[in-house]
Amino acid sequence: MPLNSPATDQMHEGDTQLRDSLEQGLRRAWQMVDARQPLRLVLAQLTSIAESLSPDSVCSILVLDSEGLLRNGASPNLPADYLDAIDRLKPDPLVGTCAAAAATGEIVVTPDFRADTRWAELRHLPLALGYHSAWSQPIKSADGRVLGTFGTYFRSRREPTPQERETVALLARVAANALTAPA
């Protein structure tokens, strides 16, 4: 997969270091997939790339298991009690961002947990950690089947920037390849 994309091409000249970091991270992630590194390490690399580009964020990759439930694939900067609380969520268009993205196969954005009814039962969890908004990109196989989600939480009330959307879309494609690569 080419490293040039709108996410890297639209960065200003002053963002050369950011662009180089993204390209280097993507190259490393693809090498890990090609070398058949453990899935959890590949997915953790992808979350690290996204977090490095959005300093007020923390990322989480959830993977659909054989029962169709969302399980933690990689969330290195979220506490274990939070991960335990969201473990085995069933995809549901009316719950959170990741469960909704997994159910709909579409990007789901929550600019403010307090104002979004999808978070009624769960909003206390990210709010307790200081997060106020989130969005989730579905991770899809080449045939369009949802494999999991790439979620991003923000410490401020906001939506993802176009650059963040494009970057996470690239990272989700790498995740899909890692999830479907032969063992």
Side-chain angles (χ1 to χ4, degrees), residues 55-121:
D56 73 329
S57 71
V58 66
C59 295
S60 173
I61 295 178
L62 301 181
V63 178
L64 285 170
D65 69 10
S66 61
E67 297 173 29
L69 302 175
L70 290 165
R71 307 299 305 270
N72 183 42
S75 308
N77 293 311
L78 285 172
D81 58 338
Y82 183 88
L83 297 173
D84 289 343
I86 65 168
D87 189 43
R88 302 182 59 83
L89 276 178
K90 181 178 179 182
D92 184 330
L94 302 177
V95 175
T97 51
C98 288
T104 64
E106 301 293 330
I107 291 172
V108 176
V109 178
T110 297
D112 183 354
F113 291 131
R114 294 182 194 277
D116 192 326
T117 58
R118 286 184 303 238
W119 281 89
E121 299 294 321

Side-chain angles (χ1 to χ4, degrees), residues 132-144:
H132 296 280
S133 60
W135 73 287
S136 186
Q137 163 85 41
I139 300 169
K140 295 182 180 181
S141 65
D143 64 4

